[in-house]
Amino acid sequence: MSNHALNPAEAAAVPMHAASTPRRWLRTLDRGLIALVEVCAAALLALEIVVMLAGVVSRYVLHQPLVWSDELAGILFLWLAMLGAVLALRRGEHMRMTALVSRLSPQRRAFVDTLAIAASIALLALLIVPAYDYAAGEAAIVTPALQISNAWRALALPIGAALMLLVGLIRLAQVSRARDVVVVLAIAALLAVVCVFAGPWFQTLGKLNLVIFFVGVVAIGIFTGVPIGFSFALATFGYLGLSTFTPLEVVVGRMDEGMSHLVLLAVPLFVFLGLLIEMTGMARAMIEFLASLVGHVHGGLSFVLIGAMYLVSGISGSKVADMAAIAPVLFPEMKKRGASEGDLVALLATTGAQSETIPPSIVLITIGSVTGLSISALFTAGMLPGAVLALILCVVVWWRYRKEDLSGAQRFTKQQIGRLFIVSLPALALPFVIRMAVVEGVATATEVSTIGIAYSMLIGLLVYRRFEWRRLGRMLVDAATLSGAILFIIGCATAMAWALTQSGFSQDLAQLMGSMPGGAYGFLAVSIVVFVMLGSVLEGIPAIVLFGPLLFPIARLAGVHEVHYAIVVILSMGVGLFSPPFGVGYYSACAISKVNPDAGIRPIVGYMGALILGLLLVAAIPWISIGFL
């Protein structure tokens, strides 16, 4: 796999021959367009930070809430997500699988890469008109606080799609061979003709269309190197456009809903916070102290990664944001100590799944709200299962690193450890500052990242005396780009989830699971399998909202304690969400770590095996979940 969707070096062995003047024009247009988008994206992210921080200060310091701050932040966020997706397309940072493509000959790989670019362009061409229609429909809606048309926010979708389309066309002209482009255009024309004439036939296939589009089209797209989010969206557009009479702007609305979820506002802010921690020297101070404690132990820093994900999990309400806050701090030092990139990203993804039930998890809150379960009971129930899975992962880490060469590892004296602890104390306090802000109600899960940013800036300026102002602009652009790649996948997956629900798949699934033999344990076994598969294509919140009200009454009738069932369901979805090749969370971990997804495929097998073993243990022993209720 690779996270380079449109890499010129991979796209073609021989660039398209063109006159020098048109090529110069293309380069000039490309550079000018991207420079403009970078400036806008960086400004939006900086303004996002200021607005959200101002909301916190006004509410809790000045006791005069800014009623419009969350609304403005939401408007800015959709624009930030779409412009970030444009930059991700230009940089080749949309996640895609290249395990099969990389094995082809250079000539064939060039053709397949051209095909992937063309598929992305085709999706964007399909998206623009429905996105414009959706934005036009939003024009009649007035926002409650700012009293402006919601079209100002919704226009981010068609404009972002148009910019991505332009970037895609430029890349196609710059890196693809002329004969490959001609062949791809012929294939596209043939497919278009087939779709036009086969539309009535698809409408007679019923549920078989689910297999054709959500298994066949998605699999073909992913394995031929089409970016993951684009593959999801192409399948959704194809299913709804050919087999139903659903207006395609509805798909855009679901994408908007997926990308605009309030919790996801924390993603770009935590990505930026991770970059800020590294730049201010807080990461170095923290790593030096942690290394003094466990650096001489086999797999020591891997234990730190597992513990850190357990401690900070749920602070932001987004697993992507949690990983973004930790990976930039630990990974550089772990790489220096000899850890492979593949093992690091595999462990990061696995710890993301392991800590899904740690409060204050937004998934726990959601499952409580849609099923009527006590949220405090869910919070209590989620701690021990997460600890059990963490201990099992630690065993795997110990086994993998048991023969690690520690001859060069330094052992620190108590005095040295104490000195490093004092130096690192301001950095180590950051997770506790963030968690205290959430627990004490000083800030929401969305706003708390801005507190971390403000705290890190002050510590960098006043304590560590290290703050490189010239790097801020590039850090803002990098954070926006990474966030755009992640959020576009989530938006496309949300639209796909909605299409699956509208097809009646969820009701059929509930009936099938309810008829399974085996009593409580049989129902739990089927639930684990089903929710692992669902988790690979759905975010936790959409899946819980869709399937929770249907399946929890069945669990009660089967004799399964509802709180215990909630924990099993969440952990099962976590396993699916972070498992390649379809798990979106795995690609998010790779994007945050800036690691080729191919590198983590082999190492993650052992970690996921241990995680599944822990999941089965939690499912088989209800006391682990409900023993302290």
Side-chain angles (χ1 to χ4, degrees):
M1 295 180 191
S2 173
N3 61 337
H4 299 287
L6 301 176
N7 192 326
E10 295 180 352
V14 183
M16 182 187 295
H17 295 289
S20 58
T21 300
R23 291 182 65 83
R24 284 200 302 268
W25 288 349
L26 277 177
R27 284 196 298 268
T28 301
L29 176 61
D30 186 32
R31 292 172 182 172
L33 176 65
I34 295 306
L36 177 61
V37 175
E38 285 183 344
V39 169
C40 292
L44 283 171
L45 181 52
L47 186 57
E48 189 91 73
I49 296 170
V50 172
V51 168
M52 297 184 70
L53 187 60
V56 174
V57 173
S58 297
R59 183 162 62 250
Y60 293 101
V61 178
L62 304 178
H63 303 291
Q64 294 180 343
L66 298 178
V67 295
W68 48 264
S69 60
D70 283 349
E71 192 173 284
L72 178 59
I75 294 172
L76 297 177
F77 178 63
L78 186 58
W79 281 95
L80 176 63
M82 292 305 295
L83 293 182
V86 175
L87 295 176
L89 190 65
R90 172 59 179 82
R91 293 183 175 192
E93 294 186 10
H94 281 285
M95 295 292 101
R96 71 168 187 153
M97 177 186 291
T98 58
L100 297 179
V101 176
S102 61
R103 298 180 182 180
L104 299 176
S105 65
Q107 297 290 326
R108 292 180 178 177
R109 186 166 64 248
F111 173 75
V112 172
D113 283 333
T114 300
L115 190 63
I117 298 174
S120 302
I121 291 172
L123 169 68
L124 295 168
L126 288 172
L127 185 62
I128 289 178
V129 173
Y132 178 79
D133 291 340
Y134 173 76
E138 293 289 298
I141 301 174
V142 177
T143 60
L146 295 175
Q147 290 294 300
I148 61 175
S149 172
N150 202 44
W152 288 104
R153 187 188 68 85
L155 278 171
L157 294 164
I159 292 176
L163 290 173
M164 280 194 282
L165 177 61
L166 182 57
V167 168
L169 290 171
I170 291 174
R171 301 311 296 160
L172 187 68
Q174 288 181 330
V175 304
S176 298
R177 298 176 303 182
R179 66 178 182 180
D180 288 345
V181 173
V182 171
V183 173
V184 166
L185 288 176
I187 293 174
L190 178 61
L191 287 175
V193 171
V194 170
C195 289
V196 169
F197 287 100
W201 177 72
F202 280 115
Q203 293 170 12
T204 66
L205 297 180
K207 297 293 177 62
L208 184 59
N209 284 307
L210 299 178
V211 178
I212 294 174
F213 290 99
F214 296 120
V215 177
V217 173
V218 169
I220 292 172
I222 289 177
F223 287 110
T224 55
V226 178
I228 304 297
F230 289 78
S231 298
F232 287 170
L234 278 171
T236 306
F237 270 96
Y239 170 73
L240 294 176
L242 296 176
S243 66
T244 74
F245 298 99
T246 305
L248 293 182
E249 56 262 30
V250 175
V251 181
V252 180
R254 300 290 74 78
M255 292 177 64
D256 179 11
E257 180 183 342
M259 290 189 290
S260 301
H261 198 282
L262 186 61
V263 169
L264 295 176
L265 281 167
V267 172
L269 301 180
F270 266 98
V271 172
F272 180 70
L273 176 60
L275 296 172
L276 195 61
I277 290 172
E278 184 276 327
M279 186 261 281
T280 56
M282 294 175 66
R284 178 178 295 277
M286 189 184 303
I287 291 298
E288 287 178 350
F289 169 66
L290 295 175
S292 72
L293 293 176
V294 298
H296 59 282
V297 177
H298 292 286
L301 292 183
S302 294
F303 295 139
V304 173
L305 175 60
I306 295 172
M309 280 297 290
Y310 186 92
L311 290 174
V312 308
S313 181
I315 287 177
S316 68
S318 168
K319 201 57 55 187
V320 173
D322 294 339
M323 293 189 296
I326 291 174
V329 177
L330 287 176
F331 275 22
E333 185 63 25
M334 294 173 78
K335 290 178 182 178
K336 289 180 183 178
R337 293 172 178 269
S340 69
E341 288 187 337
D343 196 68
L344 292 181
V345 76
L347 184 58
L348 179 65
T350 312
T351 54
Q354 159 245 315
S355 54
E356 283 279 70
T357 62
I358 309 301
S361 168
I362 194 66
V363 181
L364 287 175
I365 296 172
T366 303
I367 207 170
S369 65
V370 301
T371 61
L373 296 178
S374 167
I375 293 177
S376 62
L378 290 170
F379 277 12
T380 303
M383 296 294 292
L384 186 55
V388 169
L389 267 59
L391 289 174
I392 293 176
L393 287 177
C394 286
V395 172
V396 177
V397 168
W398 171 81
W399 177 261
R400 286 192 170 183
Y401 287 88
R402 69 191 186 283
K403 296 181 180 180
E404 182 183 14
D405 182 13
L406 298 176
S407 58
Q410 180 182 359
R411 288 181 176 269
F412 292 81
T413 65
K414 293 182 179 179
Q415 291 79 9
Q416 289 173 320
I417 293 175
R419 191 180 307 112
L420 289 172
F421 172 71
I422 293 173
V423 173
S424 66
L425 190 58
L428 292 171
L430 176 61
F432 298 97
V433 169
I434 292 175
R435 186 172 292 276
M436 183 177 64
V438 174
V439 173
E440 297 296 326
V442 174
T444 65
T446 304
E447 296 168 331
V448 72
S449 51
T450 61
I451 294 177
I453 291 172
Y455 176 87
S456 300
M457 293 183 72
L458 289 175
I459 294 299
L461 288 168
L462 303 178
V463 178
Y464 295 115
R465 305 289 181 88
R466 179 181 171 184
F467 200 92
E468 302 175 44
W469 292 99
R470 67 181 183 277
R471 289 181 56 187
L472 277 182
R474 181 49 51 189
M475 288 164 55
L476 289 167
V477 171
D478 291 343
T481 303
L482 178 56
S483 302
I486 294 169
L487 293 166
F488 191 77
I489 292 179
I490 293 174
C492 294
T494 302
M496 183 174 163
W498 178 86
L500 282 170
T501 305
Q502 296 303 306
S503 70
F505 171 75
S506 57
Q507 291 83 354
D508 294 342
L509 178 63
Q511 292 176 4
L512 177 64
M513 292 177 64
S515 64
M516 288 291 179
Y521 286 106
F523 182 73
L524 282 172
V526 174
S527 296
I528 289 173
V529 173
V530 168
F531 278 99
V532 167
M533 292 190 295
L534 289 175
S536 68
V537 295
L538 306 180
E539 280 287 300
I541 291 174
I544 287 298
V545 172
L546 299 177
F547 295 100
L550 293 169
L551 295 179
F552 274 77
I554 301 174
R556 192 186 309 116
L557 293 175
V560 181
H561 194 289
E562 289 177 298
V563 173
H564 174 52
Y565 187 63
I567 299 301
V568 172
V569 164
I570 292 173
L571 291 177
S572 300
M573 286 193 302
V575 170
L577 182 64
F578 288 91
S579 296
F582 296 110
V584 176
Y586 175 73
Y587 297 101
S588 298
C590 293
I592 289 166
S593 309
K594 297 183 179 179
V595 172
N596 187 324
D598 293 342
I601 296 296
R602 187 180 296 273
I604 204 172
V605 173
Y607 290 128
M608 278 297 172
L611 207 61
I612 292 173
L613 177 62
L615 170 59
L616 295 176
L617 186 65
V618 171
I621 306 175
W623 183 87
I624 296 176
S625 300
I626 60 178
F628 294 98
L629 297 183

